[in-house]
Tab-separated table of all heavy atoms in Angstrom:
chain	number	residue	atom	x	y	z
A	248	GLN	N	-21.635	63.692	65.115
A	248	GLN	CA	-21.853	62.676	66.147
A	248	GLN	C	-20.530	62.113	66.649
A	248	GLN	O	-20.368	61.879	67.839
A	248	GLN	CB	-22.731	61.557	65.609
A	248	GLN	CG	-24.156	61.980	65.400
A	248	GLN	CD	-24.974	60.892	64.713
A	248	GLN	OE1	-24.490	59.792	64.455
A	248	GLN	NE2	-26.214	61.211	64.419
A	249	PHE	N	-19.574	61.874	65.750
A	249	PHE	CA	-18.268	61.365	66.140
A	249	PHE	C	-17.566	62.352	67.066
A	249	PHE	O	-17.028	61.974	68.101
A	249	PHE	CB	-17.401	61.108	64.896
A	249	PHE	CG	-16.014	60.650	65.229
A	249	PHE	CD1	-15.756	59.324	65.507
A	249	PHE	CD2	-14.960	61.556	65.274
A	249	PHE	CE1	-14.469	58.889	65.820
A	249	PHE	CE2	-13.678	61.137	65.586
A	249	PHE	CZ	-13.438	59.809	65.852
A	250	MET	N	-17.576	63.630	66.676
A	250	MET	CA	-16.933	64.660	67.494
A	250	MET	C	-17.552	64.697	68.890
A	250	MET	O	-16.850	64.753	69.886
A	250	MET	CB	-17.091	66.033	66.827
A	250	MET	CG	-16.478	67.165	67.628
A	250	MET	SD	-16.746	68.776	66.886
A	250	MET	CE	-18.464	69.049	67.256
A	251	HIS	N	-18.862	64.617	68.952
A	251	HIS	CA	-19.543	64.682	70.232
A	251	HIS	C	-19.287	63.436	71.073
A	251	HIS	O	-18.980	63.522	72.255
A	251	HIS	CB	-21.039	64.878	70.012
A	251	HIS	CG	-21.800	65.074	71.267
A	251	HIS	ND1	-22.821	64.257	71.636
A	251	HIS	CD2	-21.671	65.992	72.261
A	251	HIS	CE1	-23.299	64.659	72.810
A	251	HIS	NE2	-22.626	65.705	73.201
A	252	ARG	N	-19.371	62.294	70.465
A	252	ARG	CA	-19.246	61.029	71.197
A	252	ARG	C	-17.832	60.773	71.706
A	252	ARG	O	-17.639	60.273	72.810
A	252	ARG	CB	-19.685	59.877	70.297
A	252	ARG	CG	-19.833	58.564	71.036
A	252	ARG	CD	-20.376	57.451	70.153
A	252	ARG	NE	-21.617	57.831	69.519
A	252	ARG	CZ	-21.895	57.615	68.231
A	252	ARG	NH1	-21.037	57.017	67.453
A	252	ARG	NH2	-23.040	57.993	67.722
A	253	PHE	N	-16.828	61.116	70.923
A	253	PHE	CA	-15.463	60.748	71.283
A	253	PHE	C	-14.587	61.897	71.777
A	253	PHE	O	-13.562	61.662	72.377
A	253	PHE	CB	-14.781	60.052	70.105
A	253	PHE	CG	-15.421	58.743	69.771
A	253	PHE	CD1	-16.225	58.622	68.658
A	253	PHE	CD2	-15.254	57.643	70.595
A	253	PHE	CE1	-16.835	57.412	68.349
A	253	PHE	CE2	-15.856	56.431	70.304
A	253	PHE	CZ	-16.650	56.321	69.177
A	254	ARG	N	-14.974	63.116	71.524
A	254	ARG	CA	-14.147	64.251	71.932
A	254	ARG	C	-14.777	65.095	73.035
A	254	ARG	O	-14.086	65.662	73.853
A	254	ARG	CB	-13.874	65.165	70.732
A	254	ARG	CG	-13.200	64.476	69.594
A	254	ARG	CD	-11.754	64.688	69.665
A	254	ARG	NE	-11.117	64.057	68.502
A	254	ARG	CZ	-9.854	63.915	68.413
A	254	ARG	NH1	-9.073	64.342	69.351
A	254	ARG	NH2	-9.332	63.327	67.365
A	255	LEU	N	-16.095	65.213	73.002
A	255	LEU	CA	-16.781	66.133	73.918
A	255	LEU	C	-17.928	65.427	74.634
A	255	LEU	O	-19.072	65.889	74.621
A	255	LEU	CB	-17.308	67.346	73.123
A	255	LEU	CG	-16.232	68.144	72.399
A	255	LEU	CD1	-16.854	69.072	71.377
A	255	LEU	CD2	-15.396	68.925	73.390
A	256	LYS	N	-17.645	64.331	75.272
A	256	LYS	CA	-18.666	63.495	75.913
A	256	LYS	C	-19.482	64.244	76.964
A	256	LYS	O	-20.677	64.049	77.086
A	256	LYS	CB	-18.037	62.278	76.575
A	256	LYS	CG	-17.470	61.277	75.644
A	256	LYS	CD	-16.867	60.136	76.435
A	256	LYS	CE	-16.070	59.238	75.534
A	256	LYS	NZ	-15.444	58.151	76.265
A	257	ARG	N	-18.831	65.091	77.724
A	257	ARG	CA	-19.516	65.759	78.837
A	257	ARG	C	-20.264	67.018	78.408
A	257	ARG	O	-20.915	67.647	79.202
A	257	ARG	CB	-18.528	66.084	79.948
A	257	ARG	CG	-18.005	64.819	80.623
A	257	ARG	CD	-16.982	65.135	81.631
A	257	ARG	NE	-15.725	65.357	80.888
A	257	ARG	CZ	-14.573	65.593	81.428
A	257	ARG	NH1	-14.466	65.684	82.724
A	257	ARG	NH2	-13.507	65.763	80.695
A	258	TRP	N	-20.150	67.385	77.150
A	258	TRP	CA	-20.826	68.570	76.629
A	258	TRP	C	-22.116	68.164	75.930
A	258	TRP	O	-22.238	67.070	75.396
A	258	TRP	CB	-19.931	69.272	75.617
A	258	TRP	CG	-18.741	69.934	76.221
A	258	TRP	CD1	-17.681	69.324	76.826
A	258	TRP	CD2	-18.488	71.312	76.287
A	258	TRP	NE1	-16.776	70.256	77.252
A	258	TRP	CE2	-17.250	71.492	76.929
A	258	TRP	CE3	-19.175	72.436	75.856
A	258	TRP	CZ2	-16.693	72.734	77.153
A	258	TRP	CZ3	-18.619	73.674	76.072
A	258	TRP	CH2	-17.401	73.824	76.719
A	259	LYS	N	-23.080	69.059	75.922
A	259	LYS	CA	-24.285	68.872	75.122
A	259	LYS	C	-24.158	69.776	73.915
A	259	LYS	O	-23.421	70.763	73.938
A	259	LYS	CB	-25.528	69.222	75.919
A	259	LYS	CG	-25.791	68.239	77.029
A	259	LYS	CD	-27.225	68.258	77.410
A	259	LYS	CE	-27.435	67.163	78.445
A	259	LYS	NZ	-28.776	66.688	78.448
A	260	LEU	N	-24.875	69.442	72.848
A	260	LEU	CA	-24.803	70.285	71.666
A	260	LEU	C	-26.125	70.331	70.927
A	260	LEU	O	-26.918	69.404	71.020
A	260	LEU	CB	-23.674	69.850	70.737
A	260	LEU	CG	-23.767	68.549	69.949
A	260	LEU	CD1	-24.530	68.724	68.663
A	260	LEU	CD2	-22.383	68.061	69.628
A	261	VAL	N	-26.316	71.415	70.199
A	261	VAL	CA	-27.408	71.556	69.243
A	261	VAL	C	-26.793	72.111	67.965
A	261	VAL	O	-25.793	72.819	67.999
A	261	VAL	CB	-28.549	72.465	69.736
A	261	VAL	CG1	-29.280	71.853	70.895
A	261	VAL	CG2	-28.064	73.854	70.070
A	262	SER	N	-27.403	71.753	66.841
A	262	SER	CA	-26.932	72.259	65.553
A	262	SER	C	-28.115	72.316	64.598
A	262	SER	O	-29.202	71.841	64.901
A	262	SER	CB	-25.846	71.353	64.983
A	262	SER	OG	-26.414	70.169	64.476
A	263	ASN	N	-27.868	72.859	63.434
A	263	ASN	CA	-28.903	72.895	62.404
A	263	ASN	C	-28.630	71.861	61.304
A	263	ASN	O	-29.054	72.029	60.173
A	263	ASN	CB	-29.025	74.304	61.826
A	263	ASN	CG	-27.800	74.727	61.046
A	263	ASN	OD1	-26.715	74.184	61.223
A	263	ASN	ND2	-27.971	75.714	60.186
A	264	VAL	N	-27.953	70.777	61.636
A	264	VAL	CA	-27.586	69.759	60.647
A	264	VAL	C	-28.816	69.125	60.002
A	264	VAL	O	-28.808	68.838	58.809
A	264	VAL	CB	-26.646	68.688	61.253
A	264	VAL	CG1	-27.359	67.789	62.232
A	264	VAL	CG2	-25.979	67.875	60.159
A	265	LYS	N	-29.900	68.935	60.723
A	265	LYS	CA	-31.086	68.309	60.147
A	265	LYS	C	-31.794	69.228	59.165
A	265	LYS	O	-32.380	68.767	58.200
A	265	LYS	CB	-32.039	67.869	61.251
A	265	LYS	CG	-31.518	66.693	62.033
A	265	LYS	CD	-32.495	66.235	63.075
A	265	LYS	CE	-31.908	65.073	63.850
A	265	LYS	NZ	-32.769	64.647	64.941
A	266	ALA	N	-31.729	70.513	59.390
A	266	ALA	CA	-32.384	71.469	58.498
A	266	ALA	C	-31.523	71.828	57.297
A	266	ALA	O	-32.035	72.124	56.224
A	266	ALA	CB	-32.746	72.738	59.261
A	267	ALA	N	-30.214	71.814	57.470
A	267	ALA	CA	-29.322	72.314	56.424
A	267	ALA	C	-28.566	71.225	55.672
A	267	ALA	O	-27.956	71.504	54.654
A	267	ALA	CB	-28.317	73.287	57.043
A	268	GLY	N	-28.557	69.985	56.172
A	268	GLY	CA	-27.776	68.928	55.537
A	268	GLY	C	-26.357	68.847	56.083
A	268	GLY	O	-25.793	67.780	56.208
A	269	THR	N	-25.777	69.996	56.379
A	269	THR	CA	-24.500	70.069	57.080
A	269	THR	C	-24.669	71.062	58.219
A	269	THR	O	-25.478	71.978	58.130
A	269	THR	CB	-23.350	70.544	56.171
A	269	THR	OG1	-23.662	71.834	55.649
A	269	THR	CG2	-23.088	69.567	55.046
A	270	ALA	N	-23.913	70.864	59.273
A	270	ALA	CA	-24.042	71.734	60.444
A	270	ALA	C	-23.342	73.059	60.176
A	270	ALA	O	-22.119	73.127	60.173
A	270	ALA	CB	-23.454	71.061	61.674
A	271	LYS	N	-24.114	74.078	59.922
A	271	LYS	CA	-23.528	75.408	59.714
A	271	LYS	C	-23.383	76.147	61.030
A	271	LYS	O	-22.557	77.028	61.158
A	271	LYS	CB	-24.372	76.196	58.743
A	271	LYS	CG	-24.385	75.514	57.390
A	271	LYS	CD	-25.093	76.301	56.366
A	271	LYS	CE	-25.067	75.451	55.113
A	271	LYS	NZ	-25.210	76.041	53.920
A	272	ILE	N	-24.205	75.784	62.000
A	272	ILE	CA	-24.115	76.372	63.333
A	272	ILE	C	-24.135	75.248	64.358
A	272	ILE	O	-24.989	74.377	64.311
A	272	ILE	CB	-25.283	77.328	63.619
A	272	ILE	CG1	-25.283	78.473	62.615
A	272	ILE	CG2	-25.216	77.852	65.051
A	272	ILE	CD1	-26.506	79.355	62.695
A	273	VAL	N	-23.174	75.259	65.271
A	273	VAL	CA	-23.112	74.284	66.358
A	273	VAL	C	-22.923	75.064	67.653
A	273	VAL	O	-22.042	75.910	67.738
A	273	VAL	CB	-21.941	73.287	66.182
A	273	VAL	CG1	-21.886	72.300	67.337
A	273	VAL	CG2	-22.043	72.558	64.859
A	274	VAL	N	-23.771	74.780	68.634
A	274	VAL	CA	-23.630	75.389	69.953
A	274	VAL	C	-23.397	74.264	70.951
A	274	VAL	O	-24.163	73.310	71.001
A	274	VAL	CB	-24.877	76.209	70.350
A	274	VAL	CG1	-24.730	76.783	71.746
A	274	VAL	CG2	-25.140	77.315	69.331
A	275	LEU	N	-22.325	74.377	71.722
A	275	LEU	CA	-21.975	73.377	72.734
A	275	LEU	C	-21.983	74.040	74.100
A	275	LEU	O	-21.656	75.220	74.218
A	275	LEU	CB	-20.578	72.819	72.465
A	275	LEU	CG	-20.380	72.182	71.108
A	275	LEU	CD1	-19.380	72.991	70.322
A	275	LEU	CD2	-19.929	70.772	71.252
A	276	TRP	N	-22.350	73.285	75.137
A	276	TRP	CA	-22.351	73.821	76.493
A	276	TRP	C	-22.161	72.715	77.508
A	276	TRP	O	-22.389	71.545	77.220
A	276	TRP	CB	-23.629	74.604	76.773
A	276	TRP	CG	-24.856	73.746	76.871
A	276	TRP	CD1	-25.402	73.209	78.004
A	276	TRP	CD2	-25.690	73.309	75.801
A	276	TRP	NE1	-26.518	72.472	77.700
A	276	TRP	CE2	-26.714	72.523	76.350
A	276	TRP	CE3	-25.666	73.494	74.419
A	276	TRP	CZ2	-27.704	71.943	75.581
A	276	TRP	CZ3	-26.659	72.910	73.660
A	276	TRP	CH2	-27.653	72.150	74.241
A	277	THR	N	-21.699	73.104	78.686
A	277	THR	CA	-21.562	72.155	79.788
A	277	THR	C	-22.861	72.159	80.580
A	277	THR	O	-23.238	73.178	81.148
A	277	THR	CB	-20.385	72.525	80.705
A	277	THR	OG1	-20.548	73.861	81.146
A	277	THR	CG2	-19.055	72.378	80.002
A	278	PRO	N	-23.568	71.051	80.616
A	278	PRO	CA	-24.874	71.008	81.270
A	278	PRO	C	-24.829	71.200	82.782
A	278	PRO	O	-25.837	71.533	83.390
A	278	PRO	CB	-25.429	69.636	80.898
A	278	PRO	CG	-24.242	68.825	80.538
A	278	PRO	CD	-23.211	69.777	80.007
A	279	SER	N	-23.672	71.038	83.382
A	279	SER	CA	-23.577	71.226	84.827
A	279	SER	C	-23.625	72.708	85.217
A	279	SER	O	-23.965	73.036	86.350
A	279	SER	CB	-22.288	70.599	85.358
A	279	SER	OG	-21.160	71.198	84.750
A	280	THR	N	-23.326	73.601	84.282
A	280	THR	CA	-23.317	75.029	84.605
A	280	THR	C	-24.240	75.871	83.736
A	280	THR	O	-24.546	76.998	84.089
A	280	THR	CB	-21.890	75.611	84.467
A	280	THR	OG1	-21.418	75.365	83.145
A	280	THR	CG2	-20.948	74.995	85.477
A	281	VAL	N	-24.688	75.341	82.590
A	281	VAL	CA	-25.492	76.126	81.657
A	281	VAL	C	-26.727	75.333	81.258
A	281	VAL	O	-26.659	74.126	81.036
A	281	VAL	CB	-24.668	76.466	80.391
A	281	VAL	CG1	-25.506	77.204	79.379
A	281	VAL	CG2	-23.431	77.265	80.750
A	282	HIS	N	-27.860	76.038	81.142
A	282	HIS	CA	-29.105	75.432	80.654
A	282	HIS	C	-29.461	76.113	79.337
A	282	HIS	O	-29.501	77.334	79.264
A	282	HIS	CB	-30.233	75.617	81.662
A	282	HIS	CG	-31.536	75.099	81.168
A	282	HIS	ND1	-31.843	73.765	81.158
A	282	HIS	CD2	-32.604	75.738	80.647
A	282	HIS	CE1	-33.048	73.612	80.659
A	282	HIS	NE2	-33.529	74.803	80.336
A	283	VAL	N	-29.704	75.328	78.277
A	283	VAL	CA	-30.014	75.868	76.970
A	283	VAL	C	-31.374	75.337	76.531
A	283	VAL	O	-31.638	74.134	76.628
A	283	VAL	CB	-28.939	75.481	75.929
A	283	VAL	CG1	-29.353	75.887	74.531
A	283	VAL	CG2	-27.609	76.097	76.295
A	284	ASP	N	-32.218	76.221	76.032
A	284	ASP	CA	-33.490	75.845	75.423
A	284	ASP	C	-33.450	76.221	73.952
A	284	ASP	O	-33.288	77.402	73.619
A	284	ASP	CB	-34.656	76.574	76.094
A	284	ASP	CG	-34.954	76.054	77.479
A	284	ASP	OD1	-34.831	74.841	77.696
A	284	ASP	OD2	-35.312	76.875	78.344
A	285	LEU	N	-33.565	75.251	73.077
A	285	LEU	CA	-33.602	75.512	71.645
A	285	LEU	C	-35.012	75.932	71.275
A	285	LEU	O	-35.966	75.195	71.485
A	285	LEU	CB	-33.207	74.252	70.867
A	285	LEU	CG	-33.274	74.363	69.349
A	285	LEU	CD1	-32.272	75.404	68.856
A	285	LEU	CD2	-33.013	73.019	68.721
A	286	LEU	N	-35.148	77.115	70.740
A	286	LEU	CA	-36.454	77.632	70.355
A	286	LEU	C	-36.785	77.314	68.901
A	286	LEU	O	-37.926	77.009	68.580
A	286	LEU	CB	-36.520	79.148	70.567
A	286	LEU	CG	-36.289	79.599	72.004
A	286	LEU	CD1	-36.298	81.120	72.068
A	286	LEU	CD2	-37.327	79.016	72.941
A	287	ASP	N	-35.793	77.368	68.030
A	287	ASP	CA	-36.030	77.127	66.616
A	287	ASP	C	-34.690	76.946	65.907
A	287	ASP	O	-33.661	77.372	66.422
A	287	ASP	CB	-36.778	78.310	65.996
A	287	ASP	CG	-37.367	77.997	64.634
A	287	ASP	OD1	-37.463	76.809	64.268
A	287	ASP	OD2	-37.726	78.951	63.926
A	288	PHE	N	-34.705	76.313	64.745
A	288	PHE	CA	-33.506	76.232	63.929
A	288	PHE	C	-33.918	76.173	62.473
A	288	PHE	O	-35.036	75.779	62.150
A	288	PHE	CB	-32.605	75.055	64.315
A	288	PHE	CG	-33.196	73.698	64.055
A	288	PHE	CD1	-32.920	73.024	62.887
A	288	PHE	CD2	-34.024	73.101	64.984
A	288	PHE	CE1	-33.461	71.777	62.652
A	288	PHE	CE2	-34.550	71.848	64.762
A	288	PHE	CZ	-34.283	71.186	63.570
A	289	SER	N	-33.031	76.599	61.606
A	289	SER	CA	-33.300	76.618	60.170
A	289	SER	C	-31.970	76.535	59.424
A	289	SER	O	-30.909	76.660	60.032
A	289	SER	CB	-34.048	77.903	59.802
A	289	SER	OG	-33.223	79.025	59.995
A	290	PRO	N	-32.047	76.332	58.115
A	290	PRO	CA	-30.793	76.262	57.349
A	290	PRO	C	-30.034	77.568	57.410
A	290	PRO	O	-28.870	77.664	57.369
A	290	PRO	CB	-31.225	75.982	55.918
A	290	PRO	CG	-32.625	75.531	55.966
A	290	PRO	CD	-33.183	76.041	57.251
């Protein structure tokens, strides 16, 4: 959350932090040019 809030404000992100306890996978994108749909996540 700190990285996203203070370093990458204009980017959106998804991760598996809720499923795994730590984020093992993080995907970031610029919403002005890319559309991402999260279908599923797991540890």
Side-chain angles (χ1 to χ4, degrees):
Q248 289 173 4
F249 177 83
M250 179 183 74
H251 185 238
R252 191 175 306 135
F253 295 105
R254 302 264 183 191
L255 300 165
K256 291 179 190 178
R257 292 176 280 184
W258 290 67
K259 291 203 175 206
L260 71 84
V261 293
S262 75
N263 67 339
V264 71
K265 289 183 181 176
T269 59
K271 297 185 183 203
I272 299 172
V273 179
V274 178
L275 302 115
W276 70 93
T277 55
S279 60
T280 57
V281 177
H282 176 78
V283 173
D284 288 324
L285 177 64
L286 300 177
D287 195 15
F288 66 95
S289 67

